[in-house]
Amino acid sequence: MAVHFFPLNALRAFESTARHLSIKKASEELNVTPAAVSQQIKTLESYLDIELFERKVRALSLTEAGEQLYPFMEEGFAKLEEGIRQLHRHRHSNELVVSVSPTFAAKWLLPRLGSFYLQYPEYRLRVDASESLVNFRRDGVDIALRYGGGNYSGVHCEVLIPEEVVPVCSPVLMEGEHALKSPEVLKHHMLLRSDWQTTQAQAPCWGMWLRAAGVDHPDTNSGHQFSSEALAMQAAIEGQGVALTSTALADLDVKAGRLVYPFGREHNQKVAFGYYFVCPDSHLRVKKVQAFRKWMSAELKAGGS
């Protein structure tokens, strides 16, 4: 397919003249002479081999072809101008917009943000807690932290935390008649389930974990179900059952004594999912994105996961 290099100055002259229906107003807007605008329009008409304006003594109107072309030019230049404005805001604003799932925000990101503010006080963070995929250009998002299989096309994607899932419960369930001393005892406890925001077969679930542990359970779907891991973990903290969750999300609650790993970390189950750092390739050259990426990397290397 041949590549056509359209006369952009001529297209801009046409769009402005068509919008104003005045060569004089177009020349003032474009900061050139009326003669230059007229010449650019003639260049475009010659290039397209069609007349775009009907020229009268004291009036200017679009031909049928001009009427057909104008909406595309109007939309195209409007998008171009908006893109430049967004690029300027993105590169020069001190606000860093991070899209992240509510659970990861609550259980991993927010408890650690104090160190980011200390290291980079020049940046102001805006956390957009959402499970939805983002349109980086339209939504004004700098970075997305996403849970999944890492199959995000057209963007930079790097794994932050490979997923390991493990049962967690309140220390209260470690005592009593059915103390959680081994996985076999799980049949006496409520299995707390959460929506993992994915329909793929490899997504972690109680059935998967129990099979790997060699445990038969009468009904892995009998427990309470929650829309997020954070809610399932809170139910576990309240002693309402045992939740299956990510070690990345549970570690701070375990260190604080609100949760325990009843069977130890040796029962971690690796799965094909994880937490990913996602952004357009162009964002990697922006200083505030580089700062946040460097900070997350340091947190993870220091045992933050």
Side-chain angles (χ1 to χ4, degrees):
M1 180 181 293
V3 177
H4 296 280
F5 296 97
F6 295 101
L8 292 179
N9 288 337
L11 291 172
R12 191 68 177 103
F14 165 75
E15 188 277 332
S16 181
T17 302
R19 179 159 34 87
H20 294 294
L21 288 179
S22 168
I23 289 178
K24 180 181 179 182
K25 289 182 179 179
S27 70
E28 293 171 351
E29 179 177 87
L30 300 175
N31 198 30
V32 295
T33 65
V37 173
S38 295
Q39 184 57 48
Q40 289 290 353
I41 291 173
K42 289 179 181 178
T43 297
L44 181 60
E45 289 178 325
S46 176
Y47 181 88
L48 298 175
D49 193 24
I50 194 170
E51 288 191 356
L52 299 171
F53 290 97
E54 291 184 4
R55 297 164 177 81
K56 301 176 182 177
V57 178
R58 293 187 178 180
L60 192 68
S61 62
L62 289 166
T63 63
E64 183 177 347
E67 292 279 5
Q68 185 177 355
L69 179 63
Y70 173 64
F72 294 98
M73 294 299 99
E74 181 184 35
E75 181 181 2
F77 282 109
K79 286 184 175 180
L80 180 61
E81 291 171 359
E82 177 60 23
I84 292 172
R85 283 195 296 269
Q86 286 195 16
L87 178 64
H88 186 270
R89 288 197 301 268
H90 173 74
R91 289 188 174 274
H92 298 283
S93 170
N94 68 341
E95 181 180 73
L96 179 68
V97 182
V98 180
S99 175
V100 58
S101 72
T103 295
F104 193 78
K107 293 295 185 180
W108 194 96
L109 182 61
L110 297 184
R112 294 169 169 84
L113 277 183
S115 67
F116 177 78
Y117 297 140
L118 287 175
Q119 293 179 49
Y120 301 99
E122 66 271 30
Y123 298 129
R124 180 168 60 88
L125 198 67
R126 179 160 69 87
V127 177
D128 177 21
S130 171
E131 297 283 2
S132 302
L133 295 179
V134 300
N135 181 311
F136 286 95
R137 185 186 67 181
R138 183 193 63 213
D139 301 334
V141 171
D142 297 299
I143 300 163
L145 305 178
R146 283 291 174 265
Y147 174 78
N151 51 338
Y152 306 108
S153 61
V155 291
H156 172 81
C157 179
E158 63 184 274
V159 64
L160 292 172
I161 309 171
E163 180 71 301
E164 295 181 352
V165 293
V166 65
V168 293
C169 68
S170 165
V172 173
L173 299 189
M174 299 301 293
E175 303 173 356
E177 180 181 0
H178 300 298
L180 282 166
K181 301 300 184 182
S182 68
E184 288 75 16
V185 186
L186 283 169
K187 64 184 178 182
H188 298 292
H189 293 271
M190 182 73 70
L191 300 183
L192 306 174
R193 299 178 294 125
S194 58
D195 298 336
W196 291 83
Q197 303 301 328
T198 178
T199 58
Q200 299 184 51
Q202 309 98 309
C205 65
W206 270 114
M208 174 213 70
W209 188 90
L210 290 164
R211 285 193 298 272
V215 175
D216 289 326
H217 193 282
D219 187 1
T220 58
N221 295 318
S222 61
H224 298 314
Q225 184 158 346
F226 301 87
S227 62
S228 74
E229 284 178 84
L231 294 176
M233 291 170 68
Q234 186 59 41
I237 289 172
E238 300 297 333
Q240 297 172 12
V242 186
L244 184 69
T245 190
S246 164
T247 54
L249 302 180
D251 270 349
L252 290 183
D253 283 320
V254 170
K255 290 174 182 176
R258 293 184 290 269
L259 290 173
V260 296
Y261 298 122
F263 317 122
R265 291 285 293 263
E266 64 269 19
H267 282 276
N268 290 7
Q269 179 67 35
K270 293 183 182 295
V271 295
F273 290 78
Y275 291 93
Y276 288 83
F277 181 103
V278 185
C279 71
D281 288 329
S282 61
H283 288 197
L284 294 174
R285 297 188 290 272
V286 179
K287 289 185 178 180
K288 59 187 177 183
V289 173
Q290 293 173 349
F292 191 82
R293 186 183 181 200
K294 180 179 179 181
W295 170 78
M296 283 203 74
S297 177
E299 284 289 314
L300 294 168
K301 286 180 181 178
S305 63

